[in-house]
């Protein structure tokens, strides 16, 4: 009996042992997603970067709103080109020297690096016709810039001879690079200017031949340039540019033009930091290739100077053998186009010439008014004549009656 | 913990002098099961980190009966909710050793590291703000044959 009781007790106790015990608790996981992120831009040597129109060098940190965009522009120094723009997040949209981070999602770092532009040394010759005397000047080409150097003694000998040539020519057109900028020693400018003053010499100007254009300075322009130069050389740059590089007012004026084929030219001359734009009565002849569009009327090709304020002034030009030639009294931005332009003169429209331009919409309204006026006069005359006839008829009728 | 001591009394039968006899005495005792389990504390995680350590589940000083085990369970809805707008959420997964964690059995001293994993896509789409998620841990002790 006792054994049985003990066994039952043991079983009950075992049952109690199998009852589970439990415990626990809750924990919170928290996080803060920031509303702004830091964009660190590291700019290498050989250039600078711009953010929101301000230039920076070295390493700079910027703040960008979460989900916003961030744009950085590389500005290579002279003799350098942009090598790479990279981002550790890998979400950059690249376009030439521009990099756009479309959606800022975290702190990121952007690296901008530059490299030296390809540099080649080429010998260019300054040909002189007549006695076929030629001297060789050296040109160091870096990217789109050619820096010319010449032996001054050789240059003097060249210019002292009876060349019979009209212009002394600096010919960069045969380089492999797409040169649009030439750095010319002031000694060449001064020497040619001096000899253009000598009527017996026959030299009348300095011609600079680019791969895609040519500039000819007359004697007065050369003297003006020589007088304004502040450094040992002058920099001449002529290039076709996108209209987006114009000022806002200039761009608005060009955008208002309905022509499809518009070439925007930027022509600049400087000596160090001094911009030379006044030729003191002299001029520079510009010649550049122009390919008319299919069906384009080449007789309507025109050249316009675009002022900083957006006004446009037509300059005389000619088109021959695939080249447009015009004379510039100063350097700035110009457009080459064809057809009638708004706010300007169609040289073949007598109304425009009569009105003096800048009123192109009236080129349509005025002829219409003339037609209406003429029609009105005809109608009045007709009515008058008819009334006179009727008056005579009734008079006769009364007499008859 | 339950502590139980079982004792039973036995009586030895008496025999006439001159004869020898014997008996069996059973001695019993019980050693109580003891264990300690720690779970992670409430913790902040770092923005834009894909795998955030949040602490360990640790079983220490475990003395369990044969066949018995400790079970730790984690329950969560897998969402960090914006404190200002509960409908704005960041999805996460509670993991241990790279695999999703919901429960684990322990029969001896052991540690399991836990992480809160959030995909890069979830981080990229998360609006700015403060977020909170809750994980509920339950610790149970049971035998294998109840």
């Amino acid at each position: 009996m006792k054994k049985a009781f003990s066994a039952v007790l043991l079983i009950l106790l075992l049952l109690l042992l199998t009852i589970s015990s439990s415990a626990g608790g809750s924990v919170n996981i928290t996080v803060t997603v920031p509303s702004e992120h830091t964009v660190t831009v590291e700019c290498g040597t050989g250039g600078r970067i711009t953010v929101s129109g301000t230039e920076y060098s070295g390493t700079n940190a910027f703040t960008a709103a979460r989900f916003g965009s961030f744009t950085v522009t590389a500005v290579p120094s002279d003799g350098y080109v942009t090598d790479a723009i990279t981002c550790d997040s890998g979400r950059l949209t690249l376009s030439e020297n521009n990099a756009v981070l479309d959606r800022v999602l975290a702190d990121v770092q952007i690296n901008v690096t530059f490299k030296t532009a390809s540099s080649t040394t080429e010998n260019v010759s300054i040909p002189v016709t007549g006695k076929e005397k030629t001297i060789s000047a050296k040109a160091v080409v870096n990217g789109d810039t050619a820096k010319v150097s010449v032996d001054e003694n050789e240059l003097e000998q060249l210019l002292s001879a009876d060349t019979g040539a009209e212009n002394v020519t600096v010919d960069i057109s045969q380089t492999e690079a797409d040169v649009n900028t030439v750095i010319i020693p002031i000694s060449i400018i001064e020497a040619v200017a001096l000899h253009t003053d000598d009527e017996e010499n026959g030299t009348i100007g300095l011609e600079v031949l680019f791969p895609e254009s040519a500039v000819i300075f007359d004697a007065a322009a050369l003297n003006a340039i020589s007088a304004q130069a502040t450094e040992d050389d002058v920099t001449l740059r002529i290039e076709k540019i996108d209209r987006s590089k114009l000022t806002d007012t200039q761009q608005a004026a060009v955008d208002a033009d309905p022509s499809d084929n518009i070439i925007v030219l930027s022509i600049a001359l400087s000596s160090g930091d001094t911009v030379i734009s006044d030729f003191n009565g002299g001029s520079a002849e510009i010649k550049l290739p122009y390919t008319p569009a299919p069906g384009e009327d080449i007789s309507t090709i025109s050249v316009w100077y675009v002022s900083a304020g957006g006004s446009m002034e037509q300059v005389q030009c000619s088109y021959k053998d695939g080249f447009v030639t015009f004379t510039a009294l100063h350097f700035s931005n110009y457009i080459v186009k064809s057809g009638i332009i708004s706010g300007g003169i169609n040289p073949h429209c007598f109304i425009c010439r009569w009105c003096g331009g800048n009123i192109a919409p009236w080129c349509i309204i005025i002829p219409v008014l003339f037609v209406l006026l003429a029609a009105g006069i005809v109608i009045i005359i007709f009515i008058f004549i008819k009334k006179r006839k009727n008056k005579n008829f009734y008079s006769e009728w009364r007499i008859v009656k | 913990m339950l502590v139980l001591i079982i004792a039973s009394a036995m009586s030895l039968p008496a025999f006439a002098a001159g004869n020898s006899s014997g008996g069996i005495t059973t001695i019993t005792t019980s050693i109580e099961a003891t264990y300690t389990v720690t779970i992670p504390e409430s913790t902040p995680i770092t923005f834009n980190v894909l795998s955030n350590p949040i602490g360990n589940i640790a079983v220490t000083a475990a003395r369990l009966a044969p066949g018995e085990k400790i079970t730790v369970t984690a329950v969560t809805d897998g969402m960090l909710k914006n404190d200002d707008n509960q409908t704005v959420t960041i999805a996460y997964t509670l993991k241990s050793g790279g695999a999703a964690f919901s429960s684990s059995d322990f029969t001896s001293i052991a540690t399991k590291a836990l992480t809160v994993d959030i995909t890069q896509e979830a981080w990229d789409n998360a609006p700015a703000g403060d977020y909170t998620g809750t994980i509920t841990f339950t610790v149970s002790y049971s035998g294998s044959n109840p």
Side-chain angles (χ1 to χ4, degrees):
Chain A
M1 186 63 180
K2 284 185 179 177
K3 287 185 181 178
F5 176 77
S6 298
V8 170
L9 186 59
L10 179 61
I11 291 172
L12 288 174
L13 289 170
L14 286 172
L15 284 171
L16 286 174
L17 279 173
T18 61
I19 295 174
S20 301
S21 62
S22 64
S26 295
V27 298
N28 286 335
I29 306 300
T30 58
V31 69
T32 296
V33 177
S35 59
E36 292 180 332
H37 300 289
T38 299
V39 180
T40 302
V41 182
E42 189 169 316
C43 178
T45 56
R48 299 166 70 83
I49 56 110
T50 61
V51 175
S52 300
T54 303
E55 282 198 351
Y56 303 89
S57 62
T59 301
N60 294 271
F62 304 90
T63 299
R66 181 168 175 76
F67 298 151
S69 66
F70 182 85
T71 301
V72 59
T73 302
V75 184
S77 301
D78 289 342
Y80 288 86
V81 295
T82 303
D83 183 20
I85 304 177
T86 58
C87 176
D88 59 1
S89 71
R91 288 189 287 265
L92 277 180
T93 300
L94 300 175
S95 174
E96 292 189 6
N97 288 325
N98 271 344
V100 179
L101 195 56
D102 293 320
R103 204 162 175 248
V104 180
L105 301 173
D107 294 347
V108 298
Q109 173 155 323
I110 298 175
N111 294 302
V112 180
T113 57
F114 303 92
K115 62 182 179 182
T116 54
S118 60
S119 175
T120 59
T121 301
E122 298 184 67
N123 291 324
V124 296
S125 64
I126 302 178
V128 179
T129 60
K131 290 186 176 181
E132 297 181 355
K133 186 178 180 68
T134 301
I135 65 173
S136 293
K138 183 183 294 184
V140 178
V141 180
N142 275 326
D144 59 7
T145 301
K147 184 170 183 178
V148 177
S149 59
V150 65
D151 183 286
E152 294 187 9
N153 289 330
E154 290 186 4
L155 178 63
E156 183 56 36
Q157 291 175 5
L158 170 73
L159 294 173
S160 298
D162 181 8
T163 65
E166 289 189 350
N167 298 308
V168 173
T169 301
V170 177
D171 189 353
I172 311 295
S173 63
Q174 302 307 312
T175 60
E176 294 182 358
D178 188 14
V179 173
N180 57 33
T181 303
V182 173
I183 302 174
I184 304 172
I186 195 61
S187 58
I188 295 180
I189 303 290
E190 292 174 341
V192 176
L194 182 65
H195 287 276
T196 55
D197 292 337
D198 182 359
E199 295 179 355
E200 293 182 355
N201 183 268
T203 302
I204 64 173
L206 174 67
E207 179 182 36
V208 181
L209 293 180
F210 291 87
E212 290 196 350
S213 60
V215 181
I216 303 175
F217 296 101
D218 65 10
L222 290 174
N223 282 309
I225 295 170
S226 178
Q228 296 176 65
T230 57
E231 301 289 339
D232 292 336
D233 48 45
V234 294
T235 301
L236 172 63
R237 184 178 186 90
I238 176 169
E239 62 173 333
K240 297 177 184 178
I241 62 173
D242 187 82
R243 63 180 69 185
S244 63
K245 294 189 177 181
L246 298 171
T247 65
D248 290 344
T249 49
Q250 288 176 327
Q251 187 172 343
V254 175
D255 288 344
D257 193 294
S259 301
D260 294 328
N261 189 21
I262 296 179
I263 298 173
V264 181
L265 273 181
S266 173
I267 311 174
L269 183 67
S270 62
S271 177
D273 294 333
T274 302
V275 174
I276 302 174
S277 59
D278 180 12
F279 296 146
N280 195 25
S283 63
E285 186 177 273
I286 313 297
K287 184 177 179 181
L288 70 156
Y290 183 89
T291 303
E296 181 178 337
D297 183 0
I298 62 174
S299 66
T300 62
I301 294 174
S302 59
V303 177
W304 298 78
Y305 156 69
V306 184
S307 72
S311 64
M312 299 174 73
E313 178 183 328
Q314 188 174 17
V315 298
Q316 292 295 323
C317 71
S318 62
Y319 177 80
K320 183 179 179 182
D321 299 331
F323 288 88
V324 170
T325 303
F326 66 95
T327 301
L329 303 180
H330 48 77
F331 283 167
S332 180
N333 293 319
Y334 290 81
I335 65 169
V336 181
K337 56 183 302 298
S338 64
I340 300 172
I341 65 171
S342 61
I345 298 175
N346 176 0
H348 302 283
C349 171
F350 77 95
I351 296 177
C352 288
R353 290 198 297 271
W354 178 58
C355 296
N358 296 319
I359 50 173
W362 290 99
C363 292
I364 299 175
I365 296 174
I366 290 178
V368 171
L369 289 177
F370 269 116
V371 169
L372 291 175
L373 181 63
I377 293 173
V378 169
I379 293 172
I380 291 172
I381 294 174
F382 176 77
I383 294 173
F384 177 76
I385 293 174
K386 193 169 183 182
K387 280 192 174 177
R388 281 185 62 86
K389 282 186 179 176
N390 289 339
K391 181 178 180 182
N392 291 336
F393 173 79
Y394 285 122
S395 297
E396 292 173 359
W397 184 80
R398 281 195 295 272
I399 294 172
V400 170
K401 190 178 182 180
Chain B
M1 290 181 287
L2 295 178
V3 177
L4 182 67
I5 299 176
I6 301 174
S8 61
M10 297 287 293
S11 61
L12 291 174
F15 293 91
N19 293 329
S20 62
S21 63
I24 298 174
T25 299
T26 301
I27 300 173
T28 61
T29 184
S30 177
I31 301 173
E32 61 188 30
T34 60
Y35 57 88
T36 301
V37 177
T38 57
I39 61 175
E41 298 179 340
S42 295
T43 182
I45 61 173
T46 304
F47 165 70
N48 215 39
V49 172
L50 301 184
S51 184
N52 291 272
I54 62 168
N56 303 323
I57 296 174
V59 175
T60 59
R63 184 166 62 187
L64 309 179
E68 296 174 340
K69 62 182 178 179
I70 302 166
T71 300
V72 180
T73 304
V75 176
T76 174
D77 62 1
M79 292 291 179
L80 301 177
K81 298 178 182 178
N82 187 285
D83 292 352
D84 296 326
N85 184 348
Q86 298 282 293
T87 63
V88 178
T89 60
I90 304 173
Y92 72 90
T93 304
L94 182 65
K95 290 189 176 181
S96 177
F101 179 88
S102 59
S103 69
S104 184
D105 295 333
F106 299 84
T107 57
S108 61
I109 295 173
T111 299
K112 276 190 179 292
L114 296 179
T115 61
V116 166
D117 287 17
I118 298 175
T119 65
Q120 188 62 62
E121 182 181 2
W123 281 126
D124 289 348
N125 291 324
D130 296 325
Y131 294 78
T132 304
T134 302
I135 303 174
T136 301
F137 292 94
T138 302
V139 179
S140 61
Y141 175 79
S142 62
S144 56
N145 296 306

